[in-house]
Amino acid sequence: EIINAKTQNFKEFHRIDQLLAERYEQQLVDIQQWLKITEWSQQQMSVATLNSIQAKLFELEIIDKKVASSSLQW
């Protein structure tokens, strides 16, 4: 609930693009583009979706292993 409350208006925070660019050492234009295409769901992710995301991240070698959804804190 806390995350949902924060992400609901995240893009409206004053200077959020500049803050993120500075904090994560990214180009401002890249952060602005990311904010344009990013959305946060206000609903719980399904196990099927989680597994699909893990499979893709593993395939792209972004994560080195997949974990059981039951081992994650929801």
Side-chain angles (χ1 to χ4, degrees), residues 3-48:
I3 292 172
N4 286 345
K6 290 292 184 187
T7 59
Q8 199 163 19
N9 300 313
F10 183 77
K11 293 180 185 184
E12 297 171 17
F13 291 167
H14 179 67
R15 294 179 14 108
I16 191 64
D17 56 346
Q18 293 172 4
L19 175 70
L20 292 172
E22 291 170 13
R23 180 174 291 170
Y24 297 105
E25 300 178 2
Q26 300 295 308
Q27 296 295 316
L28 181 60
V29 68
D30 293 337
I31 293 293
Q32 290 168 338
Q33 181 63 27
W34 176 76
L35 287 169
K36 285 181 187 175
I37 64 171
T38 303
E39 294 180 16
W40 290 270
S41 174
Q42 299 301 310
Q43 298 178 2
Q44 183 72 32
M45 183 183 307
S46 72
V47 172

